[in-house]
Amino acid sequence: KVHSEIQTDIVTLTRYLTETQHALGSTATGDFTLLCHALQFSFKSISYYIRRATLINLVGLAGSENKTGDEQKKLDVIGNEIFVNSMRSSGKVKVLVSEEEENALVFQGAGKYAVVCDPIDGSSNLDAGVSVGTIFGIFKLDDNAEGTADDVLLPGTELVAAGFTMYGASANLVLTMKGGNVNGFTLDNALGEFILTHPNMRMPKTRSIYSVNEGNSLYWDSPCREYFDSIKYPTKEGAKPYSSRYIGSMVADAYRTLCYGGMFAYPADKKSPKGKLRILYECAPMAMVMENAGGQAVDSHMKRMLEVVPTHIHDRSGIFMGSYDEIEKVKAVFGKHQ
Ligand code: AHG
Ligand code: MN
Ligand code: MN
Ligand code: MN
């Protein structure tokens, strides 16, 4: 065949969503599909502006701070606006929680979903051109939900879908649905479509890579110290120490962990007793991706991350996540101290 190399039967995100909706039969109204279409548009737009940032004066600080105390970059503000406008206009969202919005946004209309998002994760890396991304989670609200922030103070086990993008050498989208597998899509800039390039992503069960901000080790508690020492200074005859990889964008560190295996942690410590990463729009969506790819995610008390219920929309938690057996090792060391 002359064009045997050319793929002509491509699964785009649009096709994937349509097929998933059809597989659900008449129970599916198409609302979720339309919501995902709005989501993917926001990912494409954010990716576009990030790639053009240095050309159109979008680098640097916006001069403001968000509710969690982060200095906002110009792109944090723009990414948030893109996301908010896209969710509002979809008509499918009642409540939206964003890292960059102090309060939950409530939209009028028939929306029955709540969306939680970190519009740009890793924004301290933006001006250096290092990979950043968008994290999102979707809850389906009860019919009698009032449309307040309280509607989303739910454990991650209630998420109907979650995922993240990573704007790296290409724009990658990782998407998972409740009880489903994890699928990876890559944006084809020419077609303007996310293409299914990584169907059914499964994390290796074990891999000797650790990913943590080692600069915080002064503040770690003794179980944390003992765990990291155990992988860096193995005592078993012939055992090699782990490799260290830390990008400082959770999306990029998580994407590598998904692809190669290993573990990523942002532990609670003496400086950040509740951890740094935020439960609703950072920890829970990532935990769902990790679990559905065969891995695990727990908080600093070794509790399953997906069962942690935030008391406030911007609540934080420590997190350890990654390959199944790597998180078992974390639990074993912390277990000795309990
Ligand atoms: P954000 O840019 O959305 O505020 O999130 C930053 C997070 C996360 O991306 C990353 O894992 C972590 O902060 C890095 O923190 P340190 O610089 O403290 O290591
Ligand atoms: Mn931030
Ligand atoms: Mn973030
Ligand atoms: Mn962010």
Side-chain angles (χ1 to χ4, degrees):
K1 279 210 299 214
V2 263
H3 52 266
S4 56
E5 314 272 294
I6 308 254
Q7 175 65 268
T8 54
D9 192 19
I10 297 168
V11 180
T12 62
L13 179 64
T14 311
R15 170 174 164 183
Y16 171 82
L17 292 169
T18 310
E19 287 176 356
T20 307
Q21 185 193 327
H22 287 162
L24 291 171
S26 55
T27 51
T29 57
D31 284 350
F32 178 78
T33 303
L34 286 171
L35 169 57
C36 289
H37 284 296
L39 271 178
Q40 72 155 329
F41 177 71
S42 67
F43 302 150
K44 286 182 210 170
S45 303
I46 294 172
S47 167
Y48 171 80
Y49 283 109
I50 285 171
R51 295 199 189 308
R52 289 185 55 80
T54 39
L55 302 170
I56 55 175
N57 192 28
L58 280 185
V59 293
L61 295 170
S64 44
E65 237 186 38
N66 69 21
K67 179 64 187 165
T68 59
D70 293 351
E71 280 189 315
Q72 290 178 305
K73 295 291 190 75
K74 287 182 194 167
L75 272 165
D76 279 322
V77 174
I78 286 168
N80 181 57
E81 279 179 20
I82 290 172
F83 205 95
V84 170
N85 286 326
S86 159
M87 292 300 99
R88 179 194 291 119
S89 58
S90 75
K92 305 299 173 196
V93 179
K94 188 176 242 169
V95 183
L96 175 63
V97 167
S98 162
E99 181 198 333
E100 310 305 338
E101 297 284 346
E102 175 169 359
N103 300 309
L105 303 181
V106 179
F107 303 135
Q108 301 308 317
K112 58 185 178 199
Y113 289 97
V115 174
V116 291
C117 78
D118 177 351
I120 299 190
D121 175 68
S123 58
S124 72
N125 276 325
L126 273 169
D127 296 353
V130 175
S131 299
V132 298
T134 304
I135 311 175
F136 63 94
I138 305 173
F139 295 102
K140 190 168 181 186
L141 295 171
D142 282 343
D143 290 341
N144 54 3
E146 287 175 7
T148 67
D150 290 350
D151 293 336
V152 290
L153 300 178
L154 299 168
T157 46
E158 294 295 318
L159 287 164
V160 293
F164 64 95
T165 57
M166 184 188 69
Y167 313 114
S170 50
N172 302 279
L173 164 66
V174 173
L175 174 65
T176 192
M177 296 186 200
K178 194 171 196 159
N181 53 10
V182 176
N183 287 301
F185 300 81
T186 307
L187 181 62
D188 184 322
N189 289 314
L191 294 175
E193 289 269 12
F194 281 100
I195 311 292
L196 180 62
T197 46
H198 299 67
N200 192 17
M201 296 176 89
R202 303 295 300 170
M203 222 181 327
K205 250 191 137 238
T206 169
R207 179 83 190 251
S208 307
I209 299 175
Y210 75 99
S211 185
V212 70
N213 184 343
E214 200 105 34
N216 290 329
S217 57
L218 178 67
Y219 310 114
W220 290 346
D221 57 17
S222 38
C224 198
R225 226 174 267 272
E226 186 180 327
Y227 163 72
F228 285 108
D229 279 351
S230 75
I231 57 175
K232 287 159 61 181
Y233 310 103
T235 48
K236 243 215 252 135
E237 180 77 2
K240 287 204 193 106
Y242 279 38
S243 283
S244 164
R245 296 281 185 276
Y246 188 71
I247 297 166
S249 291
M250 187 200 211
V251 285
D253 285 313
Y255 193 73
R256 183 201 55 250
T257 306
L258 260 185
C259 295
Y260 298 171
M263 67 85 61
F264 166 89
Y266 209 114
D269 61 26
K270 290 192 190 75
K271 196 175 66 172
S272 319
K274 291 194 80 186
K276 177 182 184 188
L277 299 175
R278 286 130 304 192
I279 297 168
L280 262 186
Y281 44 84
E282 292 181 314
C283 299
M286 278 303 177
M288 183 169 176
V289 169
M290 292 287 147
E291 284 200 6
N292 287 358
Q296 302 194 65
V298 294
D299 71 3
S300 276
H301 309 288
M302 301 297 111
K303 178 177 173 168
R304 184 183 175 212
M305 192 68 240
L306 283 179
E307 289 175 11
V308 175
V309 186
T311 50
H312 184 274
I313 55 171
H314 296 295
D315 259 1
R316 305 167 191 265
S317 170
I319 189 167
F320 292 78
M321 65 187 204
S323 292
Y324 195 94
D325 287 354
E326 299 305 334
I327 303 306
E328 284 299 291
K329 285 180 200 165
V330 179
K331 287 189 202 168
V333 176
F334 275 71
K336 286 195 288 174
H337 292 261
Q338 271 161 7

